[in-house]
């Protein structure tokens, strides 16, 4: 692998940095976007169950908030009622929606960076190709009055051009695939959070009137 990097010349190093960064982002997103850390399937029903008759205490709310992203949204509704039991429906919805926007921003973190790598990698590969072509044409320039080019320099220029083109595509294609996968996963989570928060707000309004 190191011999390939050497053969590709100095333009390959920005692509190597992009590949390392993309791999780190993919691993981080896989860990952060687990269902258990975002929207556990039974959490909403459990939150409604423990608040059938009254809003739970601060300890339960804190535990719920630390459970997951969905738990953070649900806990904001509990906190709103704890701080003001007679808060209006608009204030309650505003509190839950504000927390939901913060959670949505956190779920979408690093996706733009992954998309940027997917877009920039082919351009960096093209840059390496151009550098390789410049070396090729430079090797064909007559030197010392002799005609013809330097075969070693010609071979090096071709290797720089081809390796950089290939490496740019090798980085860009997986990065684009993972970006689309994570984008779809985040959109599905956001829909789940929106539906769950709407159901939970209706439950809190009924609890407040009880």
């Amino acid at each position: 692998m190191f011999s390939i990097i050497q053969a590709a010349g100095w333009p390959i190093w920005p692509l190597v940095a992009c590949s390392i960064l993309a791999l780190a982002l993919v691993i981080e997103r896989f860990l952060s976007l687990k269902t258990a850390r975002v929207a556990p399937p039974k959490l909403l029903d459990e939150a409604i169950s423990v608040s059938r008759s009254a809003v739970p205490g601060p300890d339960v709310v804190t535990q719920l908030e630390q459970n997951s992203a969905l738990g953070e949204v649900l806990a904001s509704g509990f906190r709103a009622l704890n701080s003001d039991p007679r808060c209006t429906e608009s204030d309650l919805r505003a509190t839950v929606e504000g927390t939901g926007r913060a959670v949505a921003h956190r779920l979408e973190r690093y996706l733009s960076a992954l998309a940027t790598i997917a877009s920039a990698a082919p351009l960096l590969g093209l840059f390496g190709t151009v550098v390789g072509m410049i070396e090729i044409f430079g090797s064909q320039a007559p030197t010392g009055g002799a005609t013809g080019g330097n075969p070693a320099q010609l071979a090096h220029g071709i290797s720089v051009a081809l390796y950089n083109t290939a490496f740019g595509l090798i980085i860009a294609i997986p990065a684009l695939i993972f970006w689309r996968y994570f984008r779809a996963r985040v959109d599905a989570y956001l829909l789940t959070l929106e539906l769950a928060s709407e159901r939970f707000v209706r439950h809190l309004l009924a609890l407040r009137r009880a």
Side-chain angles (χ1 to χ4, degrees):
M1 185 65 182
F2 186 69
S3 62
I4 294 177
I5 293 176
Q6 282 184 317
W10 64 265
I12 200 71
W13 290 109
L15 286 170
V16 172
C18 285
S19 67
I20 296 172
L21 180 58
L23 180 61
L25 293 177
V26 167
I27 293 174
E28 191 278 337
R29 287 292 82 191
F30 264 121
L31 296 176
S32 298
L33 295 178
K34 288 182 177 180
T35 301
R37 299 187 62 175
V38 180
K42 298 181 180 180
L43 184 63
L44 176 61
D45 294 332
E46 292 174 356
I48 293 176
S49 178
V50 299
S51 58
R52 289 291 182 188
S53 57
V55 178
D59 293 340
V60 176
V61 175
T62 301
Q63 184 178 0
L64 176 63
E65 186 178 35
Q66 297 173 351
N67 177 275
S68 60
L70 175 58
E72 187 176 342
V73 174
L74 302 182
S76 68
F78 281 147
R79 292 191 188 281
L81 283 187
N82 276 330
S83 61
D84 183 9
R86 304 186 65 179
C87 70
T88 63
E89 178 180 349
S90 59
D91 289 340
L92 180 60
R93 289 185 180 277
T95 300
V96 173
E97 288 174 1
T99 305
R101 284 193 291 270
V103 168
H105 178 73
R106 195 163 63 245
L107 292 178
E108 293 173 344
R109 184 173 52 185
Y110 303 138
L111 291 187
S112 59
L114 192 58
T116 300
I117 291 174
S119 302
L123 298 179
L124 291 173
L126 179 60
F127 172 72
T129 302
V130 172
V131 171
M133 296 300 293
I134 291 174
E135 292 189 8
I136 291 174
F137 287 116
S139 69
Q140 301 305 302
T143 56
T147 59
N150 185 339
Q153 190 70 18
L154 175 63
H156 177 69
I158 294 174
S159 67
V160 168
L162 296 181
Y163 277 132
N164 279 276
T165 302
F167 209 70
L169 294 176
I170 288 172
I171 296 171
I173 293 172
L176 179 61
I177 292 173
F178 280 115
W179 174 76
R180 288 190 177 276
Y181 169 75
F182 290 133
R183 181 71 264 174
R185 195 171 179 85
V186 167
D187 288 343
Y189 280 141
L190 293 180
L191 178 60
T192 299
L193 293 177
E194 183 178 353
L195 296 176
S197 61
E198 178 62 29
R199 180 184 168 192
F200 192 65
V201 166
R202 291 198 301 267
H203 165 72
L204 292 180
L205 293 174
L207 181 64
R208 187 193 61 176
R209 291 191 294 266

